[in-house]
Every structure is written in structure tokens, then in C-alpha cells.
Amino acid sequence: MNKTLSLYEIARDVAKRADVSTAHAETVIEMAFMRIGQAMMDGDKVKLRGFGTFESDEKQARVKFIVSRRIADYLRRKHIFKTRYGVSASEFKMWKS
């Protein structure tokens, strides 16, 4: 069953096991996540035994081109022509003449 676990529910469970208040457990969990986030922003690797290793990785920004429908249709037709006949339309014209 897919259930979303909230911070409050985690804090409530931790509070029961640690015999502390839910508010105290929630504060400690939030502080832990803040520390993990800060370490990752500083470029450090975070290793939590039994859970996983986390590190940030910088990637170049993606450039997205927005193409008009007319250009997209032209490119689609050109691709279909090449896959059907094995040559591009311009190569076909040169070969034909």
C-alpha cells in the first residue's frame, strides 16, 4: 500500500520510542534534515548507515528549444522520408537530377 508518511507521523513514532514529546522529536528531526541539507550545500557527502549515501552533483543547465509546429512538422516529414527511403530529401533530389 502506498502511504505518504508526514513529518508529524515520524516524530510521533520517534517520540513514543524515545519517551520524549512529539514536539521535541519533531524539532530534532527537522534539525537533522537541516544539517544534512547544509552539508550537501557545502559540497560534503552525507552517509547514513543503513539508509544511504547522498551527495550533490552540479550539472549544466539544460537548454530547451521551443519549436513552432510548422518547423516540427517539417522535421518530422524529413525524418519519415529518411527512414522510408534511406536517404534524406536533399540527397534524393541530388541523386534524382
Side-chain angles (χ1 to χ4, degrees):
M1 174 182 260
N2 292 336
K3 180 183 174 192
T4 302
L5 198 60
S6 70
L7 175 63
Y8 177 77
E9 291 169 326
I10 295 170
R12 188 182 62 212
D13 293 344
V14 169
K16 281 182 190 174
R17 292 179 186 192
D19 197 29
V20 295
S21 71
T22 303
H24 181 71
E26 191 171 345
T27 302
V28 170
I29 293 168
E30 284 178 349
M31 290 172 67
F33 281 126
M34 285 179 15
R35 179 62 183 108
I36 291 168
Q38 185 61 49
M40 290 181 68
M41 286 193 307
D42 292 343
D44 297 334
K45 186 187 289 187
V46 178
K47 197 177 221 178
L48 301 174
R49 189 179 37 174
F51 191 71
T53 302
F54 307 91
E55 59 185 315
S56 59
D57 186 19
E58 284 192 37
K59 294 186 178 185
Q60 289 183 338
R62 293 185 201 173
V63 179
K64 184 176 182 181
F65 294 100
I66 299 174
V67 187
S68 72
R69 181 182 287 289
R70 199 164 147 195
I71 294 171
D73 288 341
Y74 167 76
L75 293 173
R76 196 175 302 111
R77 284 193 306 273
K78 187 175 177 181
H79 175 72
I80 290 170
F81 189 90
K82 184 159 186 148
T83 54
R84 273 194 196 147
Y85 303 108
V87 293
S88 68
S90 59
E91 291 171 332
F92 181 74
K93 287 176 187 172
M94 288 172 49
W95 176 72
K96 191 176 176 185
S97 55

